[in-house]
Protein backbone atom coordinates (compact mmCIF):
# COMPACT_ATOMS: atom_id res chain seq x y z
CA UNK A 1 0.00 0.00 0.00
CA UNK A 2 2.82 2.40 0.85
CA UNK A 3 4.47 1.60 -2.51
CA UNK A 4 1.26 2.64 -4.30
CA UNK A 5 0.73 5.80 -2.25
CA UNK A 6 4.30 6.98 -2.84
CA UNK A 7 4.41 5.91 -6.53
CA UNK A 8 4.93 8.32 -9.40
CA UNK A 9 5.06 5.78 -12.24
CA UNK A 10 2.12 3.57 -13.30
CA UNK A 11 4.26 0.41 -13.25
CA UNK A 12 5.33 1.06 -9.63
CA UNK A 13 1.69 1.59 -8.62
CA UNK A 14 0.68 -1.63 -10.41
CA UNK A 15 3.51 -3.55 -8.71
CA UNK A 16 2.43 -2.23 -5.30
CA UNK A 17 -1.19 -3.30 -5.90
CA UNK A 18 -0.06 -6.79 -7.00
CA UNK A 19 2.13 -7.23 -3.90
CA UNK A 20 -0.74 -6.00 -1.74
CA UNK A 21 -3.13 -8.53 -3.30
CA UNK A 22 -0.73 -11.49 -3.06
CA UNK A 23 -0.02 -10.63 0.59
CA UNK A 24 -3.67 -10.57 1.70
CA UNK A 25 -4.63 -13.86 0.00
CA UNK A 26 -3.13 -16.11 2.73
CA UNK A 27 -4.72 -13.81 5.36
CA UNK A 28 -8.19 -14.44 3.85
CA UNK A 29 -7.56 -18.17 3.33
CA UNK A 30 -6.05 -18.67 6.82
CA UNK A 31 -9.06 -20.56 8.20
CA UNK A 32 -9.06 -24.15 7.03
CA UNK A 33 -12.56 -23.89 5.63
CA UNK A 34 -13.98 -24.14 2.08
CA UNK A 35 -15.77 -20.80 2.49
CA UNK A 36 -12.56 -18.88 3.24
CA UNK A 37 -10.79 -20.60 0.33
CA UNK A 38 -13.67 -19.58 -1.93
CA UNK A 39 -13.47 -16.01 -0.62
CA UNK A 40 -9.72 -15.88 -1.35
CA UNK A 41 -10.28 -17.24 -4.88
CA UNK A 42 -13.00 -14.67 -5.61
CA UNK A 43 -10.81 -11.89 -4.23
CA UNK A 44 -7.84 -13.02 -6.33
CA UNK A 45 -9.84 -13.25 -9.59
CA UNK A 46 -11.47 -9.81 -9.28
CA UNK A 47 -8.27 -8.07 -8.18
CA UNK A 48 -6.21 -9.75 -10.92
CA UNK A 49 -8.77 -8.67 -13.56
CA UNK A 50 -8.72 -5.10 -12.21
CA UNK A 51 -4.90 -5.08 -12.19
CA UNK A 52 -4.78 -6.26 -15.82
CA UNK A 53 -7.27 -3.56 -16.83
CA UNK A 54 -5.22 -0.95 -14.98
CA UNK A 55 -2.02 -2.05 -16.72
CA UNK A 56 -3.85 -1.93 -20.06
CA UNK A 57 -5.12 1.61 -19.37
CA UNK A 58 -1.68 2.91 -18.34
CA UNK A 59 -0.06 1.26 -21.41
CA UNK A 60 -2.58 2.94 -23.76
CA UNK A 61 -1.87 6.26 -22.06
CA UNK A 62 1.92 5.79 -22.38
CA UNK A 63 1.51 4.78 -26.05
CA UNK A 64 -0.61 7.85 -26.86
CA UNK A 65 1.09 10.50 -24.72
CA UNK A 66 4.57 9.07 -24.10
CA UNK A 67 4.22 9.51 -20.32
CA UNK A 68 4.04 6.92 -17.55
CA UNK A 69 3.45 9.61 -14.91
CA UNK A 70 0.35 8.96 -12.76
CA UNK A 71 -0.61 12.65 -12.75
CA UNK A 72 -0.59 12.82 -16.57
CA UNK A 73 -3.41 10.47 -17.52
CA UNK A 74 -4.44 12.67 -20.46
CA UNK A 75 -5.90 10.01 -22.75
CA UNK A 76 -9.73 9.86 -22.51
CA UNK A 77 -10.06 6.09 -23.07
CA UNK A 78 -7.29 5.16 -20.62
CA UNK A 79 -8.85 7.45 -18.00
CA UNK A 80 -12.24 5.67 -18.30
CA UNK A 81 -10.57 2.24 -18.19
CA UNK A 82 -8.54 3.30 -15.15
CA UNK A 83 -11.68 4.42 -13.30
CA UNK A 84 -13.30 1.05 -14.14
CA UNK A 85 -10.24 -0.83 -12.82
CA UNK A 86 -10.04 1.18 -9.58
CA UNK A 87 -13.81 0.87 -9.06
CA UNK A 88 -13.42 -2.91 -9.28
CA UNK A 89 -10.43 -2.83 -6.92
CA UNK A 90 -12.38 -0.91 -4.28
CA UNK A 91 -15.65 -2.76 -4.70
CA UNK A 92 -17.85 0.17 -5.69
CA UNK A 93 -20.95 -0.54 -7.83
CA UNK A 94 -21.37 -1.86 -10.53
CA UNK A 95 -18.26 -4.01 -9.81
CA UNK A 96 -19.23 -4.68 -6.20
CA UNK A 97 -20.46 -8.30 -6.34
CA UNK A 98 -17.27 -9.80 -4.91
CA UNK A 99 -17.16 -7.68 -1.74
CA UNK A 100 -20.06 -9.14 0.34
CA UNK A 101 -19.06 -12.70 -0.64
CA UNK A 102 -15.40 -12.22 0.27
CA UNK A 103 -16.23 -10.53 3.58
CA UNK A 104 -18.69 -13.26 4.54
CA UNK A 105 -15.99 -15.90 3.95
CA UNK A 106 -13.33 -14.06 5.96
CA UNK A 107 -12.93 -13.54 9.72
CA UNK A 108 -14.05 -10.26 11.33
CA UNK A 109 -10.43 -9.03 11.54
CA UNK A 110 -9.85 -9.75 7.83
CA UNK A 111 -13.19 -8.13 6.96
CA UNK A 112 -12.02 -5.01 8.80
CA UNK A 113 -8.79 -5.08 6.78
CA UNK A 114 -10.69 -5.40 3.47
CA UNK A 115 -13.11 -2.55 4.23
CA UNK A 116 -10.48 -0.11 5.50
CA UNK A 117 -6.82 -0.70 4.64
CA UNK A 118 -7.43 -2.28 1.23
CA UNK A 119 -9.31 0.85 0.10
CA UNK A 120 -6.34 3.19 0.68
CA UNK A 121 -4.32 2.34 -2.46
CA UNK A 122 -7.13 2.65 -5.07
CA UNK A 123 -8.52 5.81 -3.42
CA UNK A 124 -5.03 7.38 -3.50
CA UNK A 125 -4.71 6.64 -7.23
CA UNK A 126 -8.19 8.07 -7.88
CA UNK A 127 -7.21 11.16 -5.91
CA UNK A 128 -4.06 11.57 -8.04
CA UNK A 129 -5.96 11.35 -11.35
CA UNK A 130 -9.04 13.26 -10.11
CA UNK A 131 -8.35 16.33 -12.29
CA UNK A 132 -8.62 14.19 -15.46
CA UNK A 133 -11.84 12.39 -14.47
CA UNK A 134 -15.13 13.22 -16.18
CA UNK A 135 -17.50 14.15 -13.29
CA UNK A 136 -20.47 12.43 -14.98
CA UNK A 137 -18.71 9.03 -14.71
CA UNK A 138 -17.90 9.31 -10.99
CA UNK A 139 -21.34 10.79 -10.22
CA UNK A 140 -23.02 7.82 -11.94
CA UNK A 141 -20.81 5.29 -10.13
CA UNK A 142 -21.41 7.10 -6.82
CA UNK A 143 -25.20 7.24 -7.13
CA UNK A 144 -25.35 3.59 -8.18
CA UNK A 145 -23.13 2.60 -5.23
CA UNK A 146 -25.32 4.47 -2.72
CA UNK A 147 -28.40 2.76 -4.19
CA UNK A 148 -26.82 -0.72 -4.18
CA UNK A 149 -25.29 -0.22 -0.72
CA UNK A 150 -28.68 0.75 0.72
CA UNK A 151 -30.75 -1.83 -1.08
CA UNK A 152 -28.32 -4.72 -0.61
CA UNK A 153 -28.10 -4.30 3.15
CA UNK A 154 -31.87 -4.39 3.60
CA UNK A 155 -32.54 -8.06 4.32
CA UNK A 156 -29.11 -9.02 5.66
CA UNK A 157 -28.87 -10.80 8.98
CA UNK A 158 -25.13 -11.43 8.69
CA UNK A 159 -23.23 -8.47 10.11
CA UNK A 160 -20.23 -8.87 7.79
CA UNK A 161 -22.45 -8.72 4.68
CA UNK A 162 -24.31 -5.76 6.13
CA UNK A 163 -21.01 -3.94 6.70
CA UNK A 164 -19.92 -4.81 3.13
CA UNK A 165 -23.00 -3.05 1.75
CA UNK A 166 -22.40 -0.19 4.17
CA UNK A 167 -18.87 0.06 2.74
CA UNK A 168 -20.26 0.17 -0.83
CA UNK A 169 -22.63 3.00 0.15
CA UNK A 170 -19.82 5.02 1.77
CA UNK A 171 -17.65 4.48 -1.31
CA UNK A 172 -20.56 5.89 -3.32
CA UNK A 173 -20.39 9.15 -1.34
CA UNK A 174 -16.63 9.26 -1.91
CA UNK A 175 -16.96 8.61 -5.66
CA UNK A 176 -19.58 11.32 -6.25
CA UNK A 177 -17.33 14.07 -4.91
CA UNK A 178 -13.83 12.86 -5.93
CA UNK A 179 -13.78 14.62 -9.31
CA UNK A 180 -15.29 17.84 -7.90
CA UNK A 181 -13.63 18.22 -4.47
CA UNK A 182 -11.06 15.43 -3.96
CA UNK A 183 -10.07 16.68 -0.49
CA UNK A 184 -13.62 16.18 0.81
CA UNK A 185 -13.60 12.67 -0.71
CA UNK A 186 -10.47 11.86 1.32
CA UNK A 187 -12.07 13.32 4.46
CA UNK A 188 -15.11 11.08 3.88
CA UNK A 189 -13.14 7.87 3.46
CA UNK A 190 -10.89 8.62 6.46
CA UNK A 191 -13.92 9.29 8.68
CA UNK A 192 -15.54 6.07 7.42
CA UNK A 193 -12.40 4.13 8.41
CA UNK A 194 -12.40 5.79 11.84
CA UNK A 195 -16.06 4.74 12.32
CA UNK A 196 -15.87 1.17 11.04
CA UNK A 197 -12.65 0.22 12.89
CA UNK A 198 -14.08 0.45 16.46
CA UNK A 199 -17.34 -1.13 15.22
CA UNK A 200 -15.51 -4.22 13.89
CA UNK A 201 -13.28 -4.33 16.98
CA UNK A 202 -16.31 -4.41 19.27
CA UNK A 203 -17.84 -7.15 17.12
CA UNK A 204 -14.61 -9.12 17.49
CA UNK A 205 -14.60 -8.59 21.27
CA UNK A 206 -18.20 -9.79 21.60
CA UNK A 207 -17.81 -12.47 18.88
CA UNK A 208 -21.00 -11.23 17.17
CA UNK A 209 -21.51 -12.40 13.60
CA UNK A 210 -25.29 -12.16 13.16
CA UNK A 211 -28.07 -9.84 14.30
CA UNK A 212 -29.27 -12.54 16.69
CA UNK A 213 -25.96 -12.78 18.59
CA UNK A 214 -25.87 -8.98 18.80
CA UNK A 215 -29.02 -9.00 20.95
CA UNK A 216 -27.14 -10.73 23.77
CA UNK A 217 -24.53 -7.98 24.26
CA UNK A 218 -26.56 -6.04 26.81
CA UNK A 219 -26.59 -8.78 29.46
CA UNK A 220 -22.79 -8.54 29.93
CA UNK A 221 -21.60 -5.19 28.65
CA UNK A 222 -24.13 -2.36 28.57
CA UNK A 223 -21.35 0.08 27.60
CA UNK A 224 -20.45 -1.95 24.52
CA UNK A 225 -24.11 -1.99 23.46
CA UNK A 226 -24.40 1.79 23.79
CA UNK A 227 -21.17 2.40 21.86
CA UNK A 228 -22.24 -0.05 19.11
CA UNK A 229 -25.59 1.72 18.86
CA UNK A 230 -23.96 5.17 18.61
CA UNK A 231 -21.43 3.93 16.03
CA UNK A 232 -24.27 2.58 13.87
CA UNK A 233 -26.09 5.91 14.06
CA UNK A 234 -22.84 7.71 13.26
CA UNK A 235 -22.39 5.54 10.15
CA UNK A 236 -25.97 6.34 9.19
CA UNK A 237 -24.91 10.00 9.19
CA UNK A 238 -27.14 11.38 11.92
CA UNK A 239 -26.12 14.68 13.56
CA UNK A 240 -24.44 15.47 15.96
CA UNK A 241 -22.29 12.36 15.37
CA UNK A 242 -19.15 12.28 13.22
CA UNK A 243 -20.73 10.49 10.24
CA UNK A 244 -22.82 13.60 9.55
CA UNK A 245 -19.71 15.76 8.91
CA UNK A 246 -18.59 14.36 5.51
CA UNK A 247 -22.19 14.00 4.27
CA UNK A 248 -22.91 17.66 4.98
CA UNK A 249 -19.64 18.72 3.33
CA UNK A 250 -20.38 16.63 0.22
CA UNK A 251 -23.98 17.87 -0.15
CA UNK A 252 -22.83 21.46 0.43
CA UNK A 253 -20.15 21.12 -2.26
CA UNK A 254 -22.57 19.54 -4.78
CA UNK A 255 -25.12 22.31 -4.29
CA UNK A 256 -22.35 24.92 -4.72
CA UNK A 257 -21.48 23.28 -8.06
CA UNK A 258 -25.13 23.51 -9.24
CA UNK A 259 -25.75 19.78 -8.75
CA UNK A 260 -28.75 20.22 -6.46
CA UNK A 261 -30.75 17.36 -8.02
CA UNK A 262 -27.83 14.94 -7.53
CA UNK A 263 -27.46 16.07 -3.92
CA UNK A 264 -31.21 15.58 -3.28
CA UNK A 265 -31.10 12.10 -4.88
CA UNK A 266 -28.12 11.12 -2.71
CA UNK A 267 -29.84 12.36 0.44
CA UNK A 268 -32.97 10.34 -0.41
CA UNK A 269 -30.99 7.20 -1.32
CA UNK A 270 -29.10 7.37 1.97
CA UNK A 271 -32.46 6.74 3.68
CA UNK A 272 -32.17 3.15 2.41
CA UNK A 273 -28.95 2.72 4.42
CA UNK A 274 -30.53 4.49 7.38
CA UNK A 275 -33.29 1.84 7.44
CA UNK A 276 -30.97 -1.09 8.13
CA UNK A 277 -28.77 0.90 10.54
CA UNK A 278 -31.86 1.86 12.53
CA UNK A 279 -33.14 -1.73 12.44
CA UNK A 280 -29.86 -2.96 13.93
CA UNK A 281 -29.88 -0.14 16.49
CA UNK A 282 -33.45 -1.04 17.44
CA UNK A 283 -32.46 -4.69 17.92
CA UNK A 284 -29.59 -3.64 20.17
CA UNK A 285 -31.65 -1.28 22.32
CA UNK A 286 -34.85 -3.34 22.50
CA UNK A 287 -32.97 -5.93 24.58
CA UNK A 288 -32.10 -3.31 27.20
CA UNK A 289 -33.65 -3.52 30.68
CA UNK A 290 -36.42 -3.77 31.77
CA UNK A 291 -36.94 -5.95 28.66
CA UNK A 292 -35.51 -9.45 29.05
CA UNK A 293 -33.20 -10.77 26.35
CA UNK A 294 -35.02 -13.21 24.05
CA UNK A 295 -32.04 -15.39 23.15
CA UNK A 296 -29.58 -17.24 25.34
CA UNK A 297 -26.07 -15.89 25.82
CA UNK A 298 -23.74 -17.43 23.27
CA UNK A 299 -20.41 -16.03 24.44
CA UNK A 300 -18.38 -14.67 27.35
CA UNK A 301 -16.27 -11.56 27.06
CA UNK A 302 -12.50 -11.94 26.82
CA UNK A 303 -10.81 -10.20 29.74
CA UNK A 304 -8.56 -7.89 27.64
CA UNK A 305 -9.19 -4.20 27.07
CA UNK A 306 -8.96 -2.81 23.58
CA UNK A 307 -6.94 0.39 23.40
CA UNK A 308 -7.60 1.03 19.69
CA UNK A 309 -11.36 0.96 20.23
CA UNK A 310 -11.03 3.28 23.22
CA UNK A 311 -9.01 5.70 21.08
CA UNK A 312 -11.14 5.64 17.93
CA UNK A 313 -14.68 5.41 19.37
CA UNK A 314 -14.75 9.00 20.76
CA UNK A 315 -13.38 10.36 17.44
CA UNK A 316 -15.98 8.32 15.54
CA UNK A 317 -18.78 9.74 17.64
CA UNK A 318 -18.00 13.35 18.56
CA UNK A 319 -15.87 14.73 15.75
CA UNK A 320 -18.64 17.11 14.65
CA UNK A 321 -16.89 19.93 16.57
CA UNK A 322 -14.36 20.33 13.73
CA UNK A 323 -17.13 20.90 11.15
CA UNK A 324 -16.99 24.74 11.19
CA UNK A 325 -13.24 24.57 10.47
CA UNK A 326 -13.85 22.23 7.50
CA UNK A 327 -16.64 24.39 6.06
CA UNK A 328 -14.52 27.56 5.96
Amino acid sequence: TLTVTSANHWMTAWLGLELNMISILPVIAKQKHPRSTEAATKYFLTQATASALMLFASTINAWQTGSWNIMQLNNKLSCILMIAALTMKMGAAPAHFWLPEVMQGATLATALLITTWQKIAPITLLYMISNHIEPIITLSIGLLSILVGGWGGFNQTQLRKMMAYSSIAHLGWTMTIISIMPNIALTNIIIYMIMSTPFFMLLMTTASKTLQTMTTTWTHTPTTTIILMLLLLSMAGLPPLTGFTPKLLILDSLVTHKLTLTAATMALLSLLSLTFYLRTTYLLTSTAPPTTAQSTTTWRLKPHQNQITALLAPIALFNITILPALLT
Side-chain angles (χ1 to χ4, degrees):
T1 304
L2 294 174
T3 308
V4 179
T5 50
S6 57
N8 203 22
H9 191 286
W10 276 118
M11 289 299 279
T12 321
W14 174 78
L15 192 70
L17 283 166
E18 288 294 294
L19 285 168
N20 178 300
M21 175 189 73
I22 292 162
S23 310
I24 201 169
L25 286 175
V27 179
I28 299 171
K30 188 166 76 91
Q31 290 173 290
K32 304 289 184 287
H33 193 279
R35 184 167 277 179
S36 55
T37 315
E38 184 191 338
T41 311
K42 282 176 179 171
Y43 187 83
F44 169 73
L45 290 172
T46 46
Q47 299 295 315
T49 310
S51 290
L53 195 57
M54 184 184 152
L55 197 58
F56 180 52
S58 52
T59 310
I60 289 177
N61 187 63
W63 176 41
Q64 293 291 329
T65 63
S67 170
W68 280 96
N69 194 317
I70 292 178
M71 309 289 273
Q72 293 171 358
L73 195 72
N74 299 324
N75 186 273
K76 255 309 179 28
L77 174 65
S78 55
C79 191
I80 293 166
L81 286 172
M82 189 60 71
I83 295 165
L86 293 172
T87 303
M88 195 188 254
K89 278 236 170 260
M90 285 186 299
H96 65 281
F97 294 97
W98 62 272
L99 187 62
E101 299 295 322
V102 170
M103 279 181 67
Q104 187 55 34
T107 58
L108 282 165
T110 315
L112 168 63
L113 202 63
I114 293 166
T115 45
T116 54
W117 187 262
Q118 292 302 96
K119 302 270 186 281
I120 296 172
I123 289 277
T124 310
L125 289 174
L126 268 175
Y127 180 81
M128 287 165 86
I129 64 165
S130 58
N131 57 333
H132 296 294
I133 296 172
E134 288 283 336
I136 187 71
I137 298 171
T138 48
L139 284 170
S140 308
I141 291 171
L143 283 169
L144 189 62
S145 295
I146 297 168
L147 179 68
V148 166
W151 229 311
F154 246 55
N155 59 350
Q156 297 299 338
T157 53
Q158 296 287 338
L159 289 171
R160 282 167 294 183
K161 275 196 175 175
M162 198 180 85
M163 287 309 293
Y165 284 109
S166 158
S167 169
I168 293 164
H170 277 91
L171 276 176
W173 283 85
T174 307
M175 288 298 282
T176 40
I177 202 71
I178 200 150
S179 57
I180 301 163
M181 293 283 276
N183 289 348
I184 294 178
L186 278 192
T187 309
N188 182 49
I189 205 76
I190 289 164
I191 287 177
Y192 167 67
M193 287 175 187
I194 289 170
M195 288 186 298
S196 60
T197 305
F199 185 77
F200 269 106
M201 295 235 166
L202 287 171
L203 290 186
M204 279 185 258
T205 313
T206 57
S208 303
K209 290 191 178 73
T210 60
L211 290 177
Q212 189 187 0
T213 47
M214 253 184 133
T215 57
T216 60
T217 50
W218 185 275
T219 48
H220 284 271
T221 48
T223 322
T224 303
T225 314
I226 292 164
I227 294 171
L228 276 171
M229 181 192 82
L230 287 170
L231 284 170
L232 279 164
L233 293 177
S234 184
M235 275 191 255
L238 297 181
L241 303 168
T242 307
F244 178 62
T245 313
K247 283 188 167 59
L248 181 63
L249 289 170
I250 290 168
L251 294 176
D252 174 62
S253 181
L254 286 171
V255 173
T256 311
H257 285 84
K258 306 277 192 296
L259 291 164
T260 317
L261 189 64
T262 312
T265 313
M266 286 167 69
L268 287 170
L269 289 177
S270 66
L271 293 176
L272 292 169
S273 301
L274 179 65
T275 310
F276 67 80
Y277 287 127
L278 282 179
R279 184 189 62 183
T280 315
T281 311
Y282 174 74
L283 271 176
L284 274 170
T285 48
S286 62
T287 56
T291 318
T292 50
Q294 296 300 312
S295 50
T296 53
T297 309
T298 53
W299 49 267
R300 289 286 182 272
L301 265 182
K302 298 187 190 78
H304 73 280
Q305 282 82 35
N306 204 319
Q307 284 82 9
I308 301 171
T309 312
L311 178 73
L312 288 178
I315 307 170
L317 296 177
F318 307 112
N319 202 9
I320 195 84
T321 45
I322 64 162
L323 185 57
L326 290 170
L327 277 170
T328 50

